[in-house]
Amino acid sequence: MPFTRCPLGTAGLALILLLFQPVALAATFSTPALHGTVIGEGIQYLEDPSGQLTFDEVRHGTHQWQVNTAQVFNQGYSDSAWWLRFELSNPHPATNWLLEVAYAVLDHLDVHIIRESGTAQTFTMGDKLPFEERPVLHRHFLIPIDLAHHEQVEIYLRVLTTSSVQAPLTLWNPGSFDVRDIGHTAAEGIYFGGIIIIALYNLLLYLALGDRTYLYYVANTISMLMFIACLHGWAFQFLWPHATEWNDTAILFFLSTLLIFAWMFTARFLGVIKISPLFATTYYAALAL
């Protein structure tokens, strides 16, 4: 029998095959019994290069969602807005939960919770807003979620930031979160306390000996402390909760001073400026830049 060309043509056949392909569904995560549940691998994400897509357009449009294969959603530095979606189900009698986004320097973070009844709840957060406007006053972004026994909800997140685009997501029950958070707070408190003691000790040495090497080391140490405090959200929470513009540049400022004073301390401590005229010229040129 001679071969007969399909009347629909190649394009029509491809469309039929596409319609019968299984549609990727958002991953479903269960609420944890004791410890936190990491939400990362399996969630779907959508890039919006223009940053103009609305929530309704994202939810009801025919977009090509992709599946995240890593434990933490991370896209590096990007000017795009990024949408994430997944589902939560609650097989436990407990009803109160916390969704943590453990990256304190996101500029804009919108969270939409869609219930089976069709009602939606929206939270607008980010370090571009005053700290007191967060639903939970914490250095990380915490979203309270009420889930009845056996209830399932769909969650959409929109991330837009000038910092690294990443969203470390964990679902907690409040008790487990408090236990974990107390431990982390204590550990960071010990670290900050140790840094302050080192800075004070070297400041006393500078006052006693008058050697600027110790002063450079003090400045380097304080810059390190402030850089970490900004990166982890402590500075925004306790030092400048309303200074959103300064908070956006504070990380770069203290990172710059950290590198400058490290350079100055190293050069003076080793005495290489006196040893090498070429290095001395390079040293002062680098400081000027």
Side-chain angles (χ1 to χ4, degrees):
M1 175 183 293
F3 175 76
T4 304
R5 182 179 295 273
C6 175
L8 291 177
T10 305
L13 181 60
L15 178 61
I16 293 176
L17 294 176
L18 181 63
L19 292 176
F20 282 95
Q21 285 183 348
V23 178
L25 300 176
T28 302
F29 298 86
S30 296
T31 54
L34 293 175
H35 305 293
T37 295
V38 175
I39 298 176
E41 185 175 1
I43 65 175
Q44 293 184 331
Y45 66 92
L46 173 68
E47 182 179 8
D48 175 17
S50 67
Q52 300 299 317
L53 289 176
T54 65
F55 171 57
D56 288 336
E57 291 172 339
V58 168
R59 185 185 179 194
H60 300 294
T62 56
H63 304 287
Q64 295 296 322
W65 291 81
Q66 301 182 59
V67 178
N68 184 55
T69 57
Q71 282 289 94
V72 175
F73 175 77
N74 189 337
Q75 294 296 325
Y77 288 90
S78 171
D79 295 329
S80 301
W82 295 84
W83 289 86
L84 312 176
R85 71 177 182 184
F86 57 92
E87 294 182 347
L88 288 180
S89 63
N90 180 26
H92 307 291
T95 58
N96 297 321
W97 310 91
L98 290 173
L99 178 63
E100 177 189 25
V101 184
Y103 192 54
V105 294
L106 295 175
D107 291 345
H108 302 281
L109 175 64
D110 300 326
V111 181
H112 305 270
I113 302 174
I114 312 301
R115 302 192 178 274
E116 294 175 327
S117 62
T119 59
Q121 186 178 15
T122 300
F123 297 94
T124 301
M125 296 171 288
D127 66 7
K128 290 291 188 181
L129 298 175
F131 186 83
E132 63 187 14
E133 295 188 13
R134 300 185 181 191
V136 179
L137 299 182
H138 191 272
R139 65 187 185 277
H140 292 163
F141 300 106
L142 296 179
I143 301 96
I145 300 177
D146 296 329
L147 280 178
H149 192 198
H150 294 308
E151 184 181 9
Q152 183 165 310
V153 296
E154 191 174 7
I155 295 181
Y156 287 78
L157 293 89
R158 179 183 183 270
V159 178
L160 177 64
T161 184
T162 55
S163 61
S164 175
V165 178
Q166 53 181 292
L169 297 169
T170 308
L171 185 68
W172 301 91
N173 63 57
S176 296
F177 175 80
D178 289 341
V179 171
R180 192 289 309 260
D181 193 53
I182 289 173
H184 280 198
T185 301
E188 292 206 66
I190 293 172
Y191 174 79
F192 288 148
I195 292 294
I196 292 173
I197 290 173
I198 292 173
L200 290 176
Y201 174 74
N202 282 273
L203 180 61
L204 292 176
L205 288 177
Y206 166 71
L207 294 176
L209 302 175
D211 187 346
R212 281 187 296 168
T213 305
Y214 297 104
L215 186 61
Y216 295 156
Y217 187 75
V218 170
N220 173 258
T221 303
I222 295 300
S223 297
M224 171 66 77
L225 184 149
M226 292 304 301
F227 172 72
I228 295 176
C230 292
L231 186 63
H232 291 184
W234 293 105
F236 189 41
Q237 181 175 3
F238 294 108
L239 298 182
W240 47 76
H242 300 284
T244 55
E245 292 299 326
W246 161 246
N247 184 67
D248 201 39
T249 59
I251 292 181
L252 293 178
F253 174 81
F254 288 112
L255 178 60
S256 299
T257 58
L258 169 65
L259 297 176
I260 289 172
F261 287 118
W263 177 254
M264 295 173 68
F265 167 76
T266 303
R268 187 174 180 87
F269 181 77
L270 297 178
V272 291
I273 296 178
K274 299 178 181 179
I275 297 173
S276 172
L278 176 61
F279 184 86
T281 302
T282 305
Y283 170 78
Y284 288 116
L287 289 181
L289 293 176

